[in-house]
Amino acid sequence: MTEKNEITRVNYAKSRVASIVLVGLFAAITYLGIQFFRIPLPAAVGAPFIHFGNSLVVLAVLFLGFSKGAIAGSIGLGIFDVLNGYAAEAPIIIIEVFVVALVVTQSFKLLKFNDNKLLNITLIAVAAGITKIILSFVEGVVKLVLGGSGFGAAVTSSILSLPATAINSISTVIIVSLLYIPVKKALEIFLDASES
């Protein structure tokens, strides 16, 4: 990151009001990104659909950091789950959000928080997408095995249910890569305004 960005993050961390507003904003945007932009897909396990929620969680973590980004993502996706008949899935989704947030944070740290190269942001989004695919696969296998399926059948069914997650992961890479710079500029304007 540039020196200005590091200063902005330090100032952001000191502003409780800006912090609360941004967590709420990212939670709301995440909820809207899944509520109004989703396409259901058939699957052997669960009821997957294509949506933009994962992309917005990654952006929240990139801009707010691990804990605030994960909280914003958990609130947004959790509210969606509760309001749309997926309340039983909410705890699993929240765990997945925190795991993805950890991967995004560690990937960003490995890249020395250098967001001046779009390639770095794209690599972070790829890491998040791969993590989500792995988590969805493991979740599907565990659900089926606990439901009484044999391990082989559970693995096969879980693999057959991954197309929606793969599409969401690809869209995450594209959306995060396209939105990172405009959102960064908007946040800089917001943070500068909140300091004056």
Side-chain angles (χ1 to χ4, degrees):
M1 285 198 324
T2 65
E3 189 173 287
K4 182 179 179 186
N5 288 339
E6 290 175 18
I7 291 168
T8 300
R9 284 182 187 263
V10 171
N11 289 341
Y12 162 74
K14 291 180 182 177
S15 172
R16 285 187 65 116
V17 173
S19 180
I20 292 168
V21 167
L22 289 175
V23 168
L25 176 67
F26 274 101
I29 291 170
T30 301
Y31 168 75
L32 293 173
I34 195 170
Q35 179 67 36
F36 296 109
F37 302 105
R38 60 185 159 132
I39 303 166
L41 293 174
V45 181
F49 44 86
I50 300 167
H51 62 86
F52 300 127
N54 297 332
S55 308
L56 297 166
V57 169
V58 171
L59 286 169
V61 174
L62 286 171
F63 290 114
L64 304 180
F66 170 74
S67 58
K68 291 174 185 162
I71 289 169
S74 295
I75 291 170
L77 294 178
I79 289 172
F80 169 82
D81 286 344
V82 169
L83 294 178
N84 289 280
Y86 300 102
E89 301 286 325
I92 295 167
I93 297 302
I94 290 170
I95 291 168
E96 286 182 2
V97 167
F98 274 87
V99 172
V100 169
L102 182 62
V103 168
V104 168
T105 303
Q106 292 305 313
S107 299
F108 207 14
K109 187 176 181 180
L110 269 171
L111 295 169
K112 298 182 173 97
F113 299 103
N114 181 357
D115 64 351
N116 293 325
K117 295 179 183 176
L118 187 57
L119 176 63
N120 288 352
I121 300 305
T122 302
L123 290 173
I124 292 167
V126 167
I130 291 170
T131 302
K132 185 64 178 167
I133 290 170
I134 293 167
L135 290 171
S136 293
F137 172 75
V138 170
E139 175 192 351
V141 170
V142 169
K143 279 182 182 177
L144 287 169
V145 168
L146 291 176
S149 291
F151 184 74
V155 169
T156 303
S157 294
S158 190
I159 289 171
L160 294 174
S161 298
L162 287 179
T165 304
I167 293 168
N168 284 331
S169 295
I170 292 167
S171 73
T172 295
V173 173
I174 294 167
I175 292 167
V176 169
S177 298
L178 290 175
L179 291 182
Y180 184 81
I181 292 172
V183 172
K184 178 182 172 182
K185 289 181 181 181
L187 283 177
E188 286 172 355
I189 292 167
F190 170 76
L191 293 173
D192 288 343
S194 70
E195 290 173 3
S196 34

